[in-house]
């Protein structure tokens, strides 16, 4: 997935990234616990949205750990 600035976001919409993640998961059926972390609003069950201005923060990391603990296969 490319890193894009705001001026190029329309070239790579969230729906494309969501499709990529779902395709990867379908090719790796053995993955039981996963979490997508992104600054784009993705339509996924296991997703944590970060702020594009700060990146992933310590608070985000703590939330991700909690969310992974709640994931059931």
């Amino acid at each position: 997935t490319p890193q894009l600035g705001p001026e190029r976001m329309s070239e790579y919409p969230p729906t494309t990234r969501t499709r990529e993640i779902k395709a990867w998961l379908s090719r790796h059926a053995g993955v039981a616990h996963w979490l997508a972390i992104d600054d784009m609003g993705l339509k996924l069950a296991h997703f944590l949205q970060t702020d594009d201005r700060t990146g992933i923060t310590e608070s985000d990391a703590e939330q991700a750990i909690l969310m992974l603990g709640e994931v059931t296969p």
Side-chain angles (χ1 to χ4, degrees):
T1 303
Q3 183 175 0
L4 304 175
E7 68 282 350
R8 292 194 53 214
M9 290 302 262
S10 64
E11 296 174 32
Y12 198 75
T15 53
T16 300
R17 189 157 308 170
T18 299
R19 277 194 311 272
E20 288 178 344
I21 292 167
K22 288 180 176 182
W24 188 93
L25 287 166
S26 71
R27 291 190 312 272
H28 299 86
V31 174
H33 300 286
W34 62 273
L35 180 66
I37 301 172
D38 206 305
D39 61 359
M40 295 175 105
L42 305 180
K43 303 289 187 205
L44 295 167
H46 307 285
F47 174 65
L48 175 66
Q49 186 163 3
T50 59
D51 186 321
D52 65 340
R53 295 165 295 176
T54 60
I56 191 167
T57 64
E58 188 172 332
S59 176
D60 292 330
E62 291 169 359
Q63 181 65 29
I65 291 166
L66 289 173
M67 290 172 76
L68 283 169
E70 296 172 359
V71 172
T72 57

